[in-house]
Amino acid sequence: MTAERAADDLLAGVPTGVLIDGVWRDARGGARIGVEDPSTGKVLLEVADGDAADMVAALDAAAAAQASWAATSPRDRAEILRRAFDEVVRRADDFAWLISTEMGKPLAESAGEVRYAAEFLRWFSEEAPRISGSWRRSPEGTSRLLTMKAPVGPTLMITPWNFPLAMATRKVAPAVAAGCTMVLKPSELTPLTSLLFADLLQQAGLPAGVLNVVTTSRAGEATLPLLGDPRLRKLTFTGSTAVGRILLSAASEQVLRTSMELGGNAPLLVFDDADLDVAVQGALDAKMRNVGQACTAANRLLVHESVAEEFSRRLSAAMSGLVVGPGVEPGVQVGPLIDARAVDKAERLVDAARAEGGEVLTGGHAVPGDGHFFEPTVLRAPATAAFVQEEIFGPIAPIGTFAETDEAVALANSSSYGLASYVFSRDLSRVLDVVERLEFGMVGVNQGVISNAAAPFGGIKQSGLGREGGAEGIEEYLETKYVGLAP
Ligand code: ADP
């Protein structure tokens, strides 16, 4: 079979409707959304453009399925997740190709996302049977204090385009483990991966109505009625802080449980005692995964003034050597940005850096031709420059300098975001001191990639609320019920 034929067959197997109560059907209004390949701008497939009525139908199904789903045994829910894990791993190449095609990242990175995404299925299959409670005597000895866990209930899940599989499994897997039913709204830019995954979960034995999926081009309008519906009990969102604020405000009407994974502005600190090879590789990983389109991406490289020159030279050499092109082509290391708007933003940020005294060391331009490509870019700019307060979400690495540890920590913390941060140093006591003082939900030490299904992912300040993954991940989908028992 030719590669083209295999690709056509794979696309032909992706469901393109809305999934409601176990059945794929067209959107009620019959409208469709074209899903583009960002490397070419070509439409790959059209999917259903659902509206508020489709969303409400999805919640009807989720609400109707909640009680019987909550009553299933933890082992049964675990087995569904485990079968889904095996199936995602078996179809890893299909998922990787689909991610690269609709989102743009190179195949090797997509394969990494598939492994990471699948691990949430395995991890939460192991967590489901371990949901537990507690038993203790009251301090006065007059009562027994029992706690038990119950699923939160029907949950609306809104996911972004940058990790189309991992952002879905990171929410769906703990909800399945806990016994919550779901309405999933994937990003309209990259819905295909989530649609294929939802289909796979049905085949793995997920009962009808537990997971409902609605794609829409009018996210705000379509999801608003759900946020005001008393049957919905939780909202989990991954995306921009701007949209997160709108959703938090709407979620206040029903006082919903919320998990919010919002923007980041990660500092990456390189101290004078750092192993520069390790630091350059770490910076490359932290900056260039997903072409910088990750909320954990290094946004501000803060380097001790004594090593800044050498670090900048090595990082520029590494960045300028990266192969840019369509993600599905062999050997490509940097794919396109998601759309034309993202390229405009990268250009605007480079201009802003220059206006603030920045110097472009390599890159700095959009790549002419089809697709939304931007050159891997390294800049020297003042560490206090205003443009670095913004989340870059592109392949631009601004390097600023510091002289003292206190200054480095103050610069790092001078952001309204608090998601990921990175520290490069060989001095253990310095590392521990800095880690304790960083106001971030996550710190990578001498490494640029920290995401792991077994670790709690999440931020503080305006980066969000709650944690995904780790032992904490399932708690986001559970309520604690306390029972006071007379002795
Ligand atoms: P990004 O900048 O990463 O695209 P967004 O916050 O715009 O992040 O989008 C993340 C997800 O939120 C997507 O699924 C998008 O469709 C959805 N979304 C955007 N605006 C709204 C809104 N007003 N209400 C609900 N969902 C929204």
Side-chain angles (χ1 to χ4, degrees), residues 34-114:
V35 181
E36 285 181 14
D37 176 344
S39 295
T40 61
K42 206 181 99 199
V43 172
L44 292 161
L45 267 187
E46 288 192 340
V47 300
D49 192 357
D51 60 11
D54 293 301
M55 283 285 175
V56 171
L59 181 58
D60 290 345
Q66 180 58 57
S68 58
W69 178 235
T72 55
S73 76
R75 178 67 74 206
D76 284 348
R77 299 197 299 273
E79 295 287 323
I80 293 169
L81 289 173
R82 180 64 207 210
R83 281 196 292 277
F85 167 77
D86 289 340
E87 192 57 14
V88 169
V89 169
R90 191 183 69 78
R91 298 197 60 187
D93 289 349
D94 289 351
F95 275 106
W97 183 87
L98 205 51
I99 293 170
S100 288
T101 305
E102 67 171 339
M103 189 267 147
K105 72 182 76 168
L107 274 177
E109 274 192 50
S110 294
E113 177 179 344
V114 175

Side-chain angles (χ1 to χ4, degrees), residues 224-468:
L224 202 57
L226 263 53
L227 297 173
D229 190 316
R231 295 173 302 168
L232 190 76
R233 290 311 319 142
K234 179 176 168 93
L235 165 68
T236 171
F237 170 75
T238 298
S240 59
T241 297
V243 173
R245 272 196 209 99
I246 295 171
L247 289 170
L248 272 174
S249 148
S252 71
E253 193 182 331
Q254 298 290 333
V255 194
L256 294 177
R257 279 279 294 268
T258 55
S259 301
M260 295 273 148
E261 296 292 353
L262 308 178
N265 186 345
L268 184 143
L269 306 180
V270 180
F271 287 91
D272 50 0
D273 63 298
D275 178 328
L276 280 195
D277 287 337
V278 171
V280 168
Q281 186 58 50
L284 212 55
D285 294 342
K287 179 75 247 178
M288 293 306 288
R289 192 158 75 118
N290 242 19
V291 202
Q293 302 173 115
C295 45
T296 52
N299 216 64
R300 298 171 286 149
L301 280 55
L302 300 166
V303 184
H304 190 269
E305 58 190 14
S306 67
V307 292
E309 191 81 34
E310 179 63 11
F311 177 87
S312 304
R313 193 184 58 72
R314 290 202 212 175
L315 184 66
S316 301
M319 289 275 273
S320 62
L322 294 172
V323 179
V324 181
V328 290
E329 279 184 13
V332 164
Q333 292 165 295
V334 180
L337 292 172
I338 189 68
D339 57 17
R341 224 160 38 111
V343 176
D344 292 346
K345 179 179 175 185
E347 283 180 322
R348 177 174 62 73
L349 286 173
V350 171
D351 288 345
R354 284 205 176 96
E356 288 190 83
E359 180 196 355
V360 176
L361 302 182
T362 184
H365 305 101
V367 178
D370 288 344
H372 313 298
F373 296 95
F374 198 86
E375 294 168 349
T377 299
V378 181
L379 302 165
R380 285 290 292 270
T384 51
F387 82 96
V388 294
Q389 289 306 320
E390 208 175 320
E391 190 175 24
I392 294 173
F393 244 61
I396 302 171
I399 301 176
T401 57
F402 66 87
E404 305 291 339
T405 301
D406 286 351
E407 184 192 356
V409 171
L411 282 167
N413 288 341
S414 66
S415 168
S416 53
Y417 293 106
L419 192 63
S421 55
Y422 304 90
V423 178
F424 289 84
S425 166
R426 282 182 285 202
D427 178 339
L428 184 60
S429 57
R430 169 183 272 160
V431 166
L432 296 179
D433 169 50
V434 170
V435 162
E436 284 176 0
R437 291 159 68 196
L438 284 174
E439 296 168 357
F440 292 83
M442 300 179 282
V443 190
V445 177
N446 294 324
Q447 61 180 16
V449 176
I450 48 175
S451 299
N452 192 296
F457 185 105
I460 61 172
K461 296 182 175 170
Q462 292 186 28
S463 288
L465 301 166
R467 295 293 180 269
E468 292 188 321

Side-chain angles (χ1 to χ4, degrees), residues 156 158-162 185-189 216-221 223-224 227 237-244 246-247 338 341 393:
L156 173 61
I158 301 178
T159 53
W161 49 264
N162 57 350
K185 193 216 78 63
S187 167
E188 61 280 19
L189 298 174
T216 177
S217 63
R218 292 150 293 172
E221 193 185 304
T223 55
L224 202 57
L227 297 173
F237 170 75
T238 298
S240 59
T241 297
V243 173
I246 295 171
L247 289 170
I338 189 68
R341 224 160 38 111
F393 244 61

